[in-house]
Amino acid sequence: MTLFGFDILGLFTLTNIVAIIIGNFIGLLIGALPGLGTMFAIVLLLPATYVMSPLSSVLLLLAAYQGSEYGGSISSIVLGIPGTPASTATLLDGNTLAKQKSPGKALGFSLTSSMMGGLFGGLVLITLTIPISKFALHISDPEIFLICFIGLMAVGLLSTKNKINSLISTIIGLMAGTMGMDILTGIPRFTLGISDLSDGINIISFVVGLFAIPEILSMIGEGLNQKRTYESGKMKTRLTLKEVRSVIKATGIGAAIGAMVGAFPGLGADAAAWFSYTAAKKASKRPELFGKGNPEGIAAPEAANNATVGGSLVPLLSLGIPGTASASIILGAFMIHGIQPGPQIFANQHDLVYGILFGTILITIAMFILGKFVTSLFTRVLLVPSSFLIPFLLILTLIGIYSSKGSFTDLWVAMVISVVMFILRKLEFSAPSMVIAFVLGPIMEISLRRSLVLSNGSYSIFFTRMYSLPLVFIVAAIFIMSLLGWYKNRKKAVKSAVPGLESASDS
Amino acid sequence: MSSKLASYTALLLILLLDIAYFVSVNKSSKLIHTGSESIGPAYFPNLLAVILVVLCLIGLLQTARKEDTKIHIPHFKMIGFTVALMVLFILSWSAFGWFYLQNILFLTILLTVYRYKPGKILYITFTSLLLSMIATAFIYAVFNLVMHSTL
């Protein structure tokens, strides 16, 4: 059975199905455990992609991504502790509803709206990716450089409090991406005389060192033998049709916002969850019930954070630019298999791309079915103290790093990065900025050098081409938005530092 | 620890690393002669190095203007112990091999230290050893038998 020239039944191979189930299972589990997050789930599975086909690899990581976005709500609702940053908004109404009615009812709203959000994100991915990639065929190196630059600026300036440290993190990520042999001349750059670094830093070492190990070390800081408890009321996640209809509007708002936000670099699922919570509250007939166990307050953010998965793949597949930090790690899986996403991928890897587009729908359905069965099991896993979990998570991350290339250098690199990042996180440096920059850096460099060779070293090439000019305006707009944001925060800080000034300006 | 002191230290170390990066990349790029006007392998790294210097200087100024706060790292000794044990584990594994045996030891030590209670040390050590052996058997099954990955 073919659709758009793609054999749909070819998606249902044993490897793909197993990848989807395992990815969803690991994603649900890791997402449910407080403090680990979506990135950890994807990073943990990244080494496994070395031995898998490109399609199975991407489906595995996407399933983990999708599964963990729902999984985060389990801890939020049952324990009142966000499992992932994106599930913090869910906590406000989720935990309250769990205590008022039952955890199962609240989880039912979360699972159903996560599925609907995920399906919507998948449909957006299918409908938008192809037209955008057709447009992208008209663009060349100068535009590619500007698109990468926009992505990095958006992440560096829009998503963090400390913009200077975030920009420094971006530059460090770009520098890390230049390490190893220069693609165009073969010259080794900053390899420290270590032959294992001639291919550059292993992406698995880098992301595990940036995210996974520091996160585990933070778990130690939160207390090893904390006993968690929850009301073990009814855990059945079934909803009636009337209950589903009652949250349709909020789910729709969440899904639409999530897909849009996911496609724009720098924002991510947590921003999508909060935007949609606020929008759903404004659009609700009973906004005063938000924060008091209103199912709409669960449906909107959960639909949003799952819709960002599909949304984040739109720029990734069509332009080669990841929309979120998690998508940048999925880009890493493409790189491991020597595939470059972007406009050419539709011509060169037709089956892979359509496999991903339709696979996203399959992943969401699998997440829903698996979620129905394992949610009550995972709530029991939440009671396992960190003293048991941490040693196993540590050894899994070390094995994951080593098994990618069998190199101890990768382990040492990851250890150094993780210790440094553990400290830098306390100083508001941004790990997501570093990883996106690391992944985009080589693409940016090649497109910059080629553009400048074409223009004999003149930067005017970025301002004089038809397709470059709108991108330059977007760069300027992001810069202005960030300056306005900085100015507003400074004004607030001055007002709150001088108490009289605040009431004088209000009157 | 003072956040200002930590920020100054971090930014100065980043600056030093930046200088080392700049020197190393320019030294390597002199190995090929690309002509004085060409956009060679050092072009992009040099751009990044200059931007980083500017950002670090702005960062230092920003830090000077900020109020000092304390950075608190709870359970710092336990975190330090964990990192030290991981380093020893990697050193030992790279020197001697025998991953699965070393893994059992690594997990047992961590589980015992994390779950330590006075008066229950034998019980905790025994259960830690048992859990480590089960976990190692699982890792062996997945990585060696299923994924054919030698550790």
Side-chain angles (χ1 to χ4, degrees), chain A residues 38 93 128 131 172 198 204 267 309 335 373 383 400 434 439 459 485:
Chain A
T38 303
D93 285 278
L128 285 188
I172 291 173
S198 57
I204 292 171
L267 297 174
V309 176
M335 286 160 60
F373 288 112
L383 301 180
M434 271 190 219
V439 163
Y459 278 83

Side-chain angles (χ1 to χ4, degrees), chain A residues 47-48 51 145 162-165 167-168 171-172 174-176 178-179 182 185 187-192 213 217-218 220-225 227 386-392 394-400 402-403 408 411-412 415 418-419 422-424 426-429 441-442 444-445 448-449 452-453 456-457 459 490, chain B residues 3 6-7 10-11 14 17-18 20-21 24-25 28-29 31-32 34 39-45 47-49 51-52 55-56 58-59 62 65-66 71-76 78-79 82-83 86-91 93-95 99 103 106-107 110-111 113-117 131-132 135 138-139 143 147 149-151:
Chain A
V51 298
F145 174 79
N162 192 327
K163 301 197 192 302
I164 295 296
N165 283 4
L167 287 172
I168 291 174
I171 301 295
I172 291 173
L174 287 170
M175 287 164 85
T178 64
M179 284 174 68
D182 175 41
T185 60
I187 295 295
R189 295 186 300 189
F190 205 55
T191 57
L192 308 171
I213 300 176
L217 296 178
S218 298
I220 299 173
E222 283 157 20
L224 287 166
N225 292 299
K227 282 211 163 76
S386 301
S387 55
F388 282 95
L389 286 174
I390 288 170
F392 300 115
L394 278 175
I395 204 67
L396 281 177
T397 54
L398 293 178
I399 293 171
Y402 180 79
S403 61
F408 285 103
L411 282 170
W412 290 120
M415 282 305 302
S418 59
V419 170
F422 179 72
I423 298 164
L424 289 183
K426 306 273 178 201
L427 302 173
E428 296 179 338
F429 284 82
M444 273 185 89
E445 182 182 4
L448 175 67
R449 282 163 74 177
L452 292 176
V453 163
N456 291 320
Y459 278 83
R490 212 172 138 73
Chain B
S3 69
S7 277
L11 288 167
I14 289 169
L17 193 69
D18 188 25
Y21 173 81
S24 167
V25 164
S28 310
S29 75
L31 294 172
I32 55 159
T34 55
I39 314 296
Y43 187 89
F44 190 63
L47 203 58
L48 295 177
I51 295 171
L52 189 58
L55 287 173
C56 284
I58 296 173
Q62 189 178 263
R65 286 182 183 174
K66 255 197 222 170
I71 293 177
H72 179 55
I73 301 177
H75 302 283
F76 178 71
M78 193 57 85
I79 293 171
T82 304
V83 172
M86 286 171 76
V87 168
L88 278 171
F89 173 70
I90 297 170
L91 270 170
W93 178 15
S94 60
F99 169 78
N103 185 48
F106 175 73
L107 288 176
L110 270 186
L111 282 166
V113 169
Y114 285 169
R115 297 164 56 225
Y116 174 77
K117 268 187 194 149
L131 284 169
S132 306
F138 176 76
I139 290 168
F143 285 89
M147 290 171 66
S149 175
T150 320
L151 295 174

Side-chain angles (χ1 to χ4, degrees), chain A residues 216-282:
Chain A
I216 298 170
L217 296 178
S218 298
M219 278 172 78
I220 299 173
E222 283 157 20
L224 287 166
N225 292 299
Q226 265 181 346
K227 282 211 163 76
R228 300 186 196 111
T229 54
Y230 71 92
E231 304 255 353
S232 55
K234 290 180 196 164
M235 292 304 298
K236 281 211 174 122
T237 55
R238 194 175 296 155
L239 295 179
T240 63
L241 203 57
K242 190 179 173 190
E243 285 169 332
V244 173
R245 274 206 304 257
S246 70
V247 296
I248 276 289
K249 189 175 165 188
T251 304
I253 290 170
I257 290 175
M260 271 190 313
V261 168
F264 194 84
L267 297 174
D270 8 350
W274 282 109
F275 288 159
S276 63
Y277 184 86
T278 315
K281 189 175 174 182
K282 280 193 179 145

Side-chain angles (χ1 to χ4, degrees), chain A residues 474-495:
Chain A
I474 295 173
V475 167
I478 292 173
F479 188 64
I480 290 167
M481 269 167 64
S482 150
L483 272 178
L484 283 172
W486 171 81
Y487 178 69
K488 263 190 201 163
N489 288 335
R490 212 172 138 73
K491 226 175 149 183
K492 255 191 218 166
V494 166
K495 271 189 190 170

Side-chain angles (χ1 to χ4, degrees), chain B:
Chain B
M1 187 188 203
S2 151
S3 69
K4 265 187 145 170
L5 181 63
S7 277
Y8 284 138
T9 312
L11 288 167
L12 287 169
L13 285 172
I14 289 169
L15 266 173
L16 280 172
L17 193 69
D18 188 25
I19 293 167
Y21 173 81
F22 179 82
V23 166
S24 167
V25 164
N26 282 286
K27 203 170 158 185
S28 310
S29 75
K30 283 184 180 148
L31 294 172
I32 55 159
H33 175 68
T34 55
S36 56
E37 312 272 344
S38 70
I39 314 296
Y43 187 89
F44 190 63
N46 284 344
L47 203 58
L48 295 177
V50 167
I51 295 171
L52 189 58
V53 167
V54 172
L55 287 173
C56 284
L57 291 174
I58 296 173
L60 286 166
L61 277 170
Q62 189 178 263
T63 306
R65 286 182 183 174
K66 255 197 222 170
E67 260 183 52
D68 200 6
T69 52
K70 276 248 174 284
I71 293 177
H72 179 55
I73 301 177
H75 302 283
F76 178 71
K77 282 185 186 163
M78 193 57 85
I79 293 171
F81 167 78
T82 304
V83 172
L85 193 67
M86 286 171 76
V87 168
L88 278 171
F89 173 70
I90 297 170
L91 270 170
S92 177
W93 178 15
S94 60
F96 305 115
W98 293 95
F99 169 78
Y100 294 104
L101 205 60
Q102 306 223 44
N103 185 48
I104 292 174
L105 198 60
F106 175 73
L107 288 176
T108 306
I109 294 173
L110 270 186
L111 282 166
T112 306
V113 169
Y114 285 169
R115 297 164 56 225
Y116 174 77
K117 268 187 194 149
K120 283 194 169 181
I121 187 70
L122 271 175
Y123 169 75
I124 288 171
T125 311
F126 175 73
T127 48
S128 302
L129 181 62
L130 195 63
L131 284 169
S132 306
M133 288 168 71
I134 295 169
T136 305
F138 176 76
I139 290 168
Y140 178 81
V142 169
F143 285 89
N144 215 309
L145 300 179
V146 174
M147 290 171 66
H148 304 290
S149 175
T150 320
L151 295 174

